[in-house]
Every structure is written in structure tokens, then in C-alpha cells.
């Protein structure tokens, strides 16, 4: 059973619910000890008095802010707790915003939030359900371990998730920090290369299934440790691929697209081979599955964020509206996403192809009504 790393209360308006904060992730990195070369002697890090060379216990260490050369203002831990903004045990929600309005660079760490007792589950569920229904996240601040955090509180299917955010002044400006970025003319390019790149993105598009990915580097580290423990040597090394020459870019894109499409085409017959070929009732779901994944037949794992929508039902609604829906059905997922970006469709980054069609159709009808 996990242990809470922080306890306090969440407040929104005059509603208060006692909660505990739990780490949502765990580290599976292979950790090594530091040894002196040629020996098995451990290397230790110790807190040592710079002047005397004596080791100092943690209880005898205080914080000091240097105001001049060799001159410090000493601050005790209790003094920092006393000046914590607001109540240091409160996550105070001040605003509610759309999740996709927060740029990914602002997100830092993720925590699960749980009610601190059965008697608080009803109020906890009220907040979770309200966030889920509104499709928004609560922006709040709180203090943990002598540091104030800006956070986004959002709803999953059965739990509240708190994500710490970087403050605005902590996020660097790429235009000022990075040595090279595409020019304005390069960003405005809309030639055949971009069309080919969009087709490649569409051919490789699928649903987000985190279980499909794994840390292959850590697997190789474990293999290396095991081999060396058994007296073997591993000499394999992979060379980094060469950078694509801009003169060869079109050929490389065409080759990549052929490879992606051939992989998709071979996946479809394999999926159909395991299905019952004798009956219309069994063939219709297979067609819907292919449409959902933009032509790729893959196993679908429902996301925790929201139950998957029926691709066939979305298509039927779009066709029933006629006109715009029929036109949108002819576009690739990449082209649909580009239109959704231009029309500022909320939540577009999490939508599948048919959901993009549905959202764009609704958006078009709203614009027509506004114009009227």
C-alpha cells in the first residue's frame, strides 16, 4: 500500500475535502554504486564543514542566504513554515481552465490524490465528477517541503490527478535560448514535401497505447550487467543514423511512406484471418475498426481518460448531416487535425479521426449560425 507524501485539504469555493498526495509513477532505472577504480571500495558523499573538515549531522545544518562575502542571514526550517503562502496544508483551487490550453512544457510531476477517509469520498467524488463533466482542470497552489507549487488538478475515470506545473518565469523562450530554428519562409512552406509528410503522419497514426512501448535501454543495461557477472563481454554498438540531406528529402519521404503503408496493408489481412468470414454481422465491426485507426488494423485499448466512441456511429452522424461531413470523410487524419487547429477545436490532440470529423462538422454548423 502506497504512503501519502503530503496530507492536507482541497478547497474550491467553500467546499473542503481532506486528501493525501501519492506519487503516480515509479523509477525502474538501473542504479549503480560508485566504487574506486580497481577496488570494491564504496565512495560516499558526506556533509563536511568546509573550514574544519569535520562531518556535520543533518540536525546541525541550517539554511543561510549570502548577503555579502562571508556574511550570511541564517534561516531556520520553522521560520520558513511560518511564512508559507496561505495555509501550507491547503490546495486552494482559484481557477478552472481547458486542459489543452496548458502547453506541455509547463507540466512537471504527476501525483494521485485520494480522500483521507471513507467519510470524505462523497465530496471527493463530487469534485472529480464536476471536473470530468466540465472537461476542465482546477488550477491551484500549495506548499510542500518548503516549496510552493503551481498545479493542475484533473479528473480521471475514478481518481483525481494532480500535476505540478512550472512557473511562467521558469519556462525558457526557445527563440532566445536555441542557436538555430527554422526561418519564417521555411515555416510557411506548403509544398509537396509537406503533403508527403502529412501522409506519412497519417499512415503511422494510431491510438495511444502506453503498454506498446518499453525502455529498451534499461533492458540492455540489465543484459550487460548479467553478461559481465557471468564473465562474458558485450561488444555490440549501434551507430546513429546519418542526417537526411535536404536534396534527398522527397525520396526519403516517399520511401518512408511506402514502408508505412506496406506495414499497414500486411496488418489488415492478418487481423481479418482470425475473424469469422461467413456473415455480414461479423464483417461490419472489422470495417469500423479499420476506419477508426485511419486504415490501420490494431487492437484497441480504451484510454483511462474517456471511453472510446464508436467509429461507425460517428461516421453515420457525419454522413447524415451531408455536405461538410461527406467532404471531411475524404480527408486524412493529418488534414483533419490541421483544420481543427485552424478552427481552434478544443481537445483535438486527443481525438481519433472520426471524432475530428464529428467535431469539425459541429464547428462548421456553429460558424454558420453565428454568421446568420
Amino acid at each position: 500500500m502506497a504512503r501519502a507524501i503530503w496530507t492536507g485539504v482541497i478547497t474550491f469555493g467553500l467546499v473542503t475535502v481532506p486528501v493525501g498526495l501519492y506519487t503516480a509513477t515509479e523509477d525502474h532505472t538501473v542504479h549503480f554504486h560508485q566504487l574506486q577504480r580497481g577496488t570494491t571500495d564504496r565512495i560516499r558523499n558526506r556533509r563536511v564543514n568546509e573550514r574544519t573538515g569535520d562531518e556535520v549531522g543533518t540536525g546541525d545544518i541550517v539554511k543561510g542566504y549570502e548577503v555579502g562575502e562571508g556574511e550570511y542571514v541564517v534561516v531556520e526550517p520553522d521560520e520558513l513554515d511560518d511564512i508559507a503562502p496561505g495555509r501550507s496544508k491547503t490546495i486552494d483551487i482559484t481557477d478552472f481552465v481547458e486542459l489543452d490550453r496548458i502547453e506541455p512544457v509547463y507540466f512537471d510531476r504527476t501525483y494521485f490524490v485520494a480522500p483521507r477517509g471513507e467519510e470524505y469520498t462523497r465530496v471527493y467524488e463530487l469534485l472529480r465528477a464536476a471536473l470530468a463533466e466540465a472537461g476542465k482542470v482546477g488550477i491551484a497552489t500549495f506548499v510542500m517541503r518548503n516549496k510552493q507549487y503551481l498545479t493542475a488538478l484533473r479528473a480521471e475515470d475514478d481518481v483525481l490527478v494532480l500535476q505540478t506545473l512550472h512557473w511562467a518565469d521558469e519556462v525558457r523562450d526557445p527563440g532566445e535560448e536555441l542557436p538555430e530554428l527554422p526561418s519564417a519562409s521555411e515555416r510557411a512552406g506548403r509544398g509537396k514535401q509537406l503533403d508527403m509528410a502529412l501522409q506519412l503522419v497519417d499512415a503511422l497514426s494510431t491510438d495511444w497505447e502506453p503498454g506498446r512501448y518499453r525502455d529498451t535501454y534499461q533492458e540492455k543495461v540489465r543484459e550487460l550487467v548479467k553478461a559481465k557477472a557471468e564473465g562474458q563481454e558485450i561488444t555490440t554498438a549501434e551507430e546513429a543514423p546519418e542526417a537526411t540531406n535536404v536534396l534527398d528529402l522527397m525520396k526519403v519521404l516517399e520511401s518512408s511512406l511506402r514502408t508505412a503503408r506496406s506495414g499497414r496493408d500486411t496488418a489488415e489481412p492478418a487481423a481479418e484471418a482470425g475473424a469469422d468470414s461467413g456473415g455480414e454481422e461479423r464483417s461490419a465491426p472489422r470495417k469500423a475498426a479499420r476506419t477508426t485507426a485511419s486504415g490501420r488494423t490494431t487492437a484497441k485499448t480504451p484510454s483511462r481518460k474517456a471511453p472510446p466512441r464508436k467509429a461507425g456511429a460517428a461516421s453515420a452522424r457525419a454522413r447524415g448531416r451531408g455536405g461538410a461531413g461527406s467532404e471531411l470523410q475524404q480527408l486524412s487524419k493529418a488534414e483533419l487535425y490541421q483544420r481543427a487547429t485552424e478552427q481552434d477545436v478544443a481537445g483535438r490532440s486527443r481525438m481519433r479521426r472520426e471524432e475530428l470529423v464529428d467535431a469539425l462538422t459541429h464547428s462548421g454548423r456553429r460558424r454558420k449560425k453565428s454568421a446568420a
Side-chain angles (χ1 to χ4, degrees), residues 24-269:
T25 60
E26 55 187 3
D27 182 17
H28 289 165
T29 302
V30 177
H31 295 281
F32 294 94
H33 293 297
Q34 296 184 58
L35 307 176
Q36 183 175 357
R37 189 184 299 278
T39 73
T40 57
D41 298 338
R42 290 274 302 275
I43 305 299
R44 303 279 185 180
N45 294 321
R46 295 178 177 175
R47 297 177 176 85
V48 176
N49 184 309
E50 188 180 66
R51 179 178 58 82
T52 65
D54 297 335
E55 188 172 351
V56 181
T58 55
D60 293 326
I61 297 177
V62 295
K63 296 180 182 295
Y65 182 84
E66 189 171 14
V67 295
E69 188 174 350
E71 193 175 339
Y72 295 87
V73 172
V74 176
V75 179
E76 296 285 347
D78 292 344
E79 294 175 313
L80 293 174
D81 289 337
D82 291 340
I83 65 166
R87 292 163 291 175
S88 61
K89 290 294 184 180
T90 303
I91 298 175
D92 187 16
I93 300 176
T94 56
D95 302 286
F96 293 93
V97 303
E98 297 282 350
L99 177 61
D100 61 1
R101 295 295 185 184
I102 305 175
E103 298 174 16
V105 69
Y106 282 93
F107 289 102
D108 188 12
R109 302 197 65 179
T110 305
Y111 300 90
F112 290 137
V113 181
R116 219 168 24 160
E118 187 177 353
E119 63 271 31
Y120 307 120
T121 55
R122 185 171 182 177
V123 182
Y124 174 93
E125 172 57 20
L126 176 66
L127 174 58
R128 190 210 63 78
L131 289 174
E133 285 291 324
K136 295 187 177 183
V137 297
I139 302 300
T141 59
F142 82 111
V143 176
M144 179 172 64
R145 297 169 183 167
N146 296 323
K147 182 177 179 181
Q148 186 177 27
Y149 292 90
L150 178 67
T151 68
L153 188 71
R154 61 182 177 84
E156 288 274 358
D157 287 345
D158 52 5
V159 69
L160 286 171
V161 175
L162 182 139
Q163 292 181 283
T164 58
L165 306 173
H166 294 291
W167 300 97
D169 60 0
E170 294 177 329
V171 178
R172 293 178 171 178
D173 184 344
E176 296 180 359
E177 301 291 340
L178 306 184
E180 297 292 342
L181 285 173
S183 64
S185 60
E186 289 171 326
R187 292 196 300 271
R190 287 292 186 272
K192 291 183 178 180
Q193 292 178 345
L194 178 59
D195 292 338
M196 189 69 69
L198 288 171
Q199 291 179 52
L200 178 58
V201 170
D202 184 57
L204 295 174
S205 295
T206 185
D207 287 340
W208 165 238
E209 299 174 18
R212 294 177 53 201
Y213 311 96
R214 67 181 193 276
D215 189 345
T216 57
Y217 175 73
Q218 292 302 316
E219 292 175 358
K220 291 182 178 181
V221 171
R222 291 186 177 88
E223 291 173 3
L224 172 64
V225 171
K226 181 180 179 182
K228 291 183 73 70
E230 296 173 351
Q232 303 175 13
E233 290 290 337
I234 295 182
T235 57
T236 57
E238 297 181 6
E239 295 184 3
E242 295 183 3
T244 300
N245 189 317
V246 67
L247 299 176
D248 300 328
L249 183 55
M250 198 64 185
K251 291 182 179 179
V252 174
L253 286 169
E254 290 173 347
S255 178
S256 300
L257 186 57
R258 283 196 300 271
T259 302
R261 284 176 171 170
S262 64
R264 177 184 64 187
D265 293 341
T266 55
E268 288 183 358

Side-chain angles (χ1 to χ4, degrees), residues 237-346:
E238 297 181 6
E239 295 184 3
E242 295 183 3
T244 300
N245 189 317
V246 67
L247 299 176
D248 300 328
L249 183 55
M250 198 64 185
K251 291 182 179 179
V252 174
L253 286 169
E254 290 173 347
S255 178
S256 300
L257 186 57
R258 283 196 300 271
T259 302
R261 284 176 171 170
S262 64
R264 177 184 64 187
D265 293 341
T266 55
E268 288 183 358
E272 292 182 358
D276 181 8
S277 59
E280 295 181 1
E281 293 182 0
R282 297 296 294 267
S283 61
R286 290 200 300 274
K287 184 176 181 180
R290 289 197 296 274
T291 304
T292 300
S294 301
R296 299 184 67 185
T297 302
T298 55
K300 301 296 184 295
T301 301
S303 168
R304 284 174 56 87
K305 293 184 179 179
R309 298 170 64 179
K310 298 291 185 180
S315 299
R317 288 195 299 272
R319 287 193 298 270
R321 298 184 190 106
S326 301
E327 176 193 350
L328 293 170
Q329 284 291 335
Q330 306 304 315
L331 301 179
S332 67
K333 183 179 179 181
E335 292 168 329
L336 291 168
Y337 183 81
Q338 186 174 351
R339 287 201 181 188
T341 302
E342 293 170 353
Q343 297 180 23
D344 199 22
V345 174

